[in-house]
């Protein structure tokens, strides 16, 4: 039993601000009930390569995608354009294996530590963050590792 178990979901993340590593936390189901999904039922999820710290991509998860990811250890997102679950790599083969998942202090953003196979970006680049911007100009910081046509077939 956790001292956090009797809290309303809306109060849980505020109460966790004072928690310590020795505290017993509520179960994952209770924690997911308190996650602050947006009006569309989505949560931003940032994928980071577990061993290098490289930020690979940001995508959206609904509760079903998050639960599947935690259960299978294979990252699953929610595709807003297709309006369905999107299992990373189902078309391209460029999968993400979950190493760990962490919610931020407000319970409204998820950080995924993953082991990425090949490029994470649909452009064939390792990371989706390849467009560097400054006050004066923008630059491309990386070349595609794989031709997107080879990843997804010709469209």
């Amino acid at each position: 039993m956790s001292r956090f178990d009797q809290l309303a979901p809306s109060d849980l993340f505020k109460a966790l601000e004072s928690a310590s590593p020795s505290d017993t936390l509520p179960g994952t189901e209770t924690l997911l009930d308190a996650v602050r999904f947006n009006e569309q039922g989505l949560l931003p999820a940032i994928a980071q390569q577990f061993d290098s710290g490289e930020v690979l991509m940001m995508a959206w998860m609904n509760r079903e995608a998050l639960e599947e990811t935690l259960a299978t250890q294979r990252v699953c997102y929610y595709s807003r354009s297709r309006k369905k679950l999107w299992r990373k790599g189902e078309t391209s083969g460029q999968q993400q294996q979950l190493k760990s998942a962490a919610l931020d202090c407000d319970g409204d953003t998820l950080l995924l530590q993953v082991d990425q196979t090949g490029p994470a970006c649909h452009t064939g680049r390792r990371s989706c963050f390849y467009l560097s911007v400054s006050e004066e100009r923008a630059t491309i910081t990386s070349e595609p590792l794989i031709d997107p046509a080879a990843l997804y077939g010709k469209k």
Side-chain angles (χ1 to χ4, degrees):
M1 186 68 145
S2 161
R3 68 181 171 109
F4 304 103
D5 284 334
Q6 303 307 315
L7 295 173
S10 60
D11 297 330
L12 182 57
F13 280 94
K14 184 67 176 165
L16 290 174
E17 290 177 5
S18 62
S20 73
S22 63
D23 280 319
T24 300
L25 299 184
T28 301
E29 197 70 25
T30 300
L31 190 65
L32 293 183
D33 288 342
V35 167
R36 295 186 175 136
F37 294 94
N38 70 15
E39 304 80 35
Q40 293 79 39
L42 302 175
L43 179 72
I46 301 163
Q48 182 178 38
Q49 179 63 32
F50 83 100
D51 53 359
S52 69
E54 178 184 21
V55 177
L56 300 170
M57 59 180 283
M58 179 278 192
W60 297 93
M61 287 186 162
N62 62 9
R63 183 167 177 154
E64 184 181 2
L66 178 52
E67 289 174 338
E68 180 176 315
T69 297
L70 295 174
T72 66
Q73 302 295 292
R74 180 173 171 201
V75 180
C76 177
Y77 297 106
Y78 181 80
S79 170
R80 295 178 300 164
S81 60
R82 291 177 273 176
K83 298 187 180 3
K84 67 176 193 169
L85 294 181
W86 157 43
R87 289 157 189 91
K88 182 70 174 155
E90 66 189 345
T91 306
S92 68
Q94 311 303 308
Q95 297 182 12
Q96 292 177 348
Q97 293 298 314
L98 183 68
K99 295 296 187 174
S100 67
L103 287 160
D104 76 336
C105 58
D106 295 320
D108 63 4
T109 304
L110 185 66
L111 177 61
L112 304 170
Q113 298 285 316
V114 303
D115 191 10
Q116 172 71 45
T117 302
C121 185
H122 74 281
T123 65
R125 290 175 173 85
R126 176 75 177 160
S127 170
C128 293
F129 297 96
Y130 62 87
L131 182 60
S132 178
V133 293
S134 68
E135 186 177 14
E136 294 83 31
R137 65 187 192 129
T139 57
I140 301 295
T141 60
S142 67
E143 295 288 337
L145 301 173
I146 300 173
D147 179 356
L151 280 175
Y152 303 103
K154 296 183 180 175
K155 293 185 178 183

